[in-house]
């Protein structure tokens, strides 16, 4: 076991949901200073090729391997950026890198490791729609790759009963085709037919699509893995606008306080 070389650094960088204008200056600086960029292929591909910067693209399912590799590079004195879409702390690489650090070489704990925040998909989606997250809300990943499905159902049901607005990340994929449909069945058991479900797809990218449905209308087939689903609270409502402008979605901040 060798001690890390000095000057090595690892920054876990949030690239935002897609629009380059949504990358913070601090995140951009970490990318500009990096000698090595490590991450899931499509995120690494978003960055231009540059002399002196090596890109290490990997598959989506190997987060711990990728994290160990990044820590190893930093221990060799490299300046490493590990990239995530959105915010790296939201169902993304910050947790994977810290897990690898916790279980890895003791010397890695001496490394300069930082997390640079980014705009998470739920915040970008909410901004596009108006203010659907203006009241209390909660955030879940619908993926049962890393936790059992009965936990997902239990959390969803309790969040619905608590009348929170609910952001669902990872709603559906080729490997997980039925989970969102099942989640919508549970929503129909608890919420009224006219309550709202919002599908925000590829926010900040050229193929962005925003869809507003009622609980009765919503279909899982309208979502894909680039979609963030927001289940409205009972107070979530639409404000129509003139002309062709889509309605605003509002979840008011006030709730039963006589306001
Ligand atoms: N760290 C990311 C989330 C990673 S999980 C973040 O903070 O946004 C991947 C899931 O995020 C996708 O399945 C989708 O639900 C959501 N997502 C990521 N980018 C998105 C975008 N541009 N528009 C809508 N949803 C997005």
């Amino acid at each position: 076991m060798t001690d890390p070389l000095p000057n090595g650094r690892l920054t876990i960088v949030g690239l935002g949901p897609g629009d380059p204008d949504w990358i913070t200056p601090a995140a951009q600086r970490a990318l500009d200073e990096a000698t090595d960029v490590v991450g899931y292929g499509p995120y690494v591909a978003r960055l231009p090729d540059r002399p002196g910067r090596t890109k290490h693209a990997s598959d989506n399912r190997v987060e711990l391997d990728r994290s160990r590799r990044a820590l190893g590079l930093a221990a060799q004195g490299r300046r490493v950026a590990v990239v995530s879409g959105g915010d790296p702390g939201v169902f993304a690489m910050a947790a994977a890198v810290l897990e690898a650090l916790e279980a890895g070489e003791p010397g890695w704990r001496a490394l300069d490791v930082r997390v640079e925040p980014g705009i998470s998909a739920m915040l970008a989606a909410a901004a596009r729609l108006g203010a659907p997250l203006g009241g209390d809300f909660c955030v879940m990943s619908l993926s049962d790759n890393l936790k059992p499905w009965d936990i997902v159902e239990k959390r969803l049901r309790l969040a619905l009963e608590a009348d929170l607005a609910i952001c669902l990340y990872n709603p559906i994929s080729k490997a997980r085709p039925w989970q969102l449909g099942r989640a919508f069945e549970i929503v129909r058991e608890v919420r009224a037919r006219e309550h709202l479900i919002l599908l925000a797809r590829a926010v900040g990218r050229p193929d962005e699509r925003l869809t507003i449905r009622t609980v009765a209308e919503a279909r899982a087939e309208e979502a894909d893995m680039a979609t963030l689903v927001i289940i409205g609270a009972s107070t979530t409502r639409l404000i129509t606008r003139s002309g062709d402008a889509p309605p605003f979605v509002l979840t008011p901040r006030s709730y039963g306080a006589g306001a």
Side-chain angles (χ1 to χ4, degrees):
M1 210 170 313
T2 48
D3 283 336
L5 293 174
N7 305 323
R9 169 184 291 188
L10 189 158
T11 309
I12 309 153
V13 179
L15 297 179
D19 184 335
D21 279 356
W22 281 346
I23 297 179
T24 70
Q28 188 60 56
R29 203 153 46 239
L31 296 172
D32 291 342
E33 289 170 2
T35 57
D36 297 81
V37 179
V38 176
Y40 173 44
Y43 297 135
V44 172
R46 278 202 222 162
L47 306 174
D49 286 320
R50 234 190 34 200
R53 184 166 73 182
T54 309
K55 295 195 203 172
H56 309 260
S58 61
D59 188 74
N60 204 8
R61 293 189 169 243
V62 293
E63 290 189 346
L64 274 180
D65 288 349
R66 193 192 298 157
S67 300
R68 280 191 284 268
R69 185 164 165 206
L71 286 158
L73 286 165
Q76 291 166 27
R78 316 277 301 173
R79 287 191 308 280
V80 184
V82 174
V83 293
S84 268
D87 179 87
V90 179
F91 310 123
M93 287 305 295
V97 170
L98 293 190
E99 274 180 51
L101 178 82
E102 181 181 47
E105 310 224 355
W108 287 351
R109 296 185 184 221
L111 287 169
D112 180 350
V113 175
R114 303 167 191 209
V115 183
E116 272 305 337
I119 297 178
S120 190
M122 62 183 162
L123 304 179
R128 284 287 201 257
L129 290 160
L133 306 180
D136 293 340
F137 66 96
C138 80
V139 184
M140 293 179 55
S141 168
L142 214 59
S143 169
D144 54 350
N145 290 337
L146 300 172
K147 62 190 175 212
W149 178 253
D150 55 344
I151 296 279
V152 177
E153 282 203 9
K154 180 175 183 188
R155 290 181 181 168
L156 177 63
R157 200 176 281 282
L158 290 172
L160 287 163
E161 283 168 9
D163 200 12
L164 296 163
I166 304 166
C167 300
L168 297 178
Y169 283 76
N170 298 308
I172 199 163
S173 73
K174 285 203 182 73
R176 293 181 296 101
W178 54 265
Q179 284 80 345
L180 183 62
R182 174 70 193 128
F184 282 172
E185 280 175 24
I186 297 170
V187 173
R188 284 190 256 278
E189 286 172 30
V190 184
R191 289 273 202 273
R193 292 173 56 78
E194 67 276 15
H195 289 161
L196 295 172
I197 293 186
L198 318 162
L199 305 161
R201 182 181 182 280
V203 180
R205 302 185 204 151
D207 48 345
E208 173 175 313
R209 191 177 66 226
L210 302 171
T211 309
I212 300 174
R213 296 281 180 251
T214 62
V215 163
E217 292 164 347
R219 294 286 167 270
E221 303 77 60
E222 285 195 285
D224 64 8
M225 61 186 291
T227 305
L228 188 273
V229 177
I230 301 179
I231 301 166
S234 66
T235 51
T236 303
R237 58 187 187 247
L238 299 180
I239 303 176
T240 53
R241 297 157 83 192
S242 46
D244 289 340
F248 284 125
V249 183
L250 167 66
T251 307
R253 296 178 63 194
S254 56
Y255 191 105

